[in-house]
């Protein structure tokens, strides 16, 4: 099913800030290069922008990537900015 995140066995949060102009290929490259992980595995990867009001999620479904995007109307997300805060 398109965008069914229940298939994810693990969830990874990218520490710090992510340029929200990045598309699927750019985010998959971040997963491989910065996080040292395989973007084609059964995991959900979360990316936040600096103002913390937007989130992107990347998920491999076996036949392609799903990119989910949410912008909060009010408020912001709380998350760890460094590995030490995790």
């Amino acid at each position: 099913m398109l965008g069914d995140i229940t298939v994810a066995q693990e969830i990874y949060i990218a520490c710090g800030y992510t340029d929200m102009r990045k598309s699927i290929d750019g985010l998959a490259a971040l997963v491989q290069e910065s996080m040292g992980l395989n973007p084609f595995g059964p995991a959900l990867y979360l990316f936040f922008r600096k103002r913390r009001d937007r989130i992107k999620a990347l998920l491999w479904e076996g036949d392609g990537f799903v990119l989910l995007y949410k912008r909060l109307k009010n408020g912001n997300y709380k998350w760890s900015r460094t590995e030490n805060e995790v």
Side-chain angles (χ1 to χ4, degrees), residues 1-12 24-25 27-29 31-32 37-47 56-68:
M1 174 163 203
L2 181 65
D4 181 11
I5 64 170
T6 62
V7 301
Q9 296 174 5
E10 299 172 318
I11 299 174
Y12 294 97
I24 290 172
D25 294 333
L27 294 174
V31 170
Q32 283 182 317
L37 299 169
N38 178 12
F40 301 102
L44 181 69
Y45 301 94
L46 303 176
F47 305 91
K56 278 190 177 181
L58 185 67
L59 175 69
W60 176 254
E61 287 195 322
D63 61 351
F65 283 105
V66 173
L67 181 64
L68 304 169

Side-chain angles (χ1 to χ4, degrees), residues 44-55:
L44 181 69
Y45 301 94
L46 303 176
F47 305 91
F48 297 88
R49 76 180 241 157
K50 192 170 189 172
R51 289 187 359 198
R52 301 177 313 192
D53 63 342
R54 295 170 193 182
I55 184 173

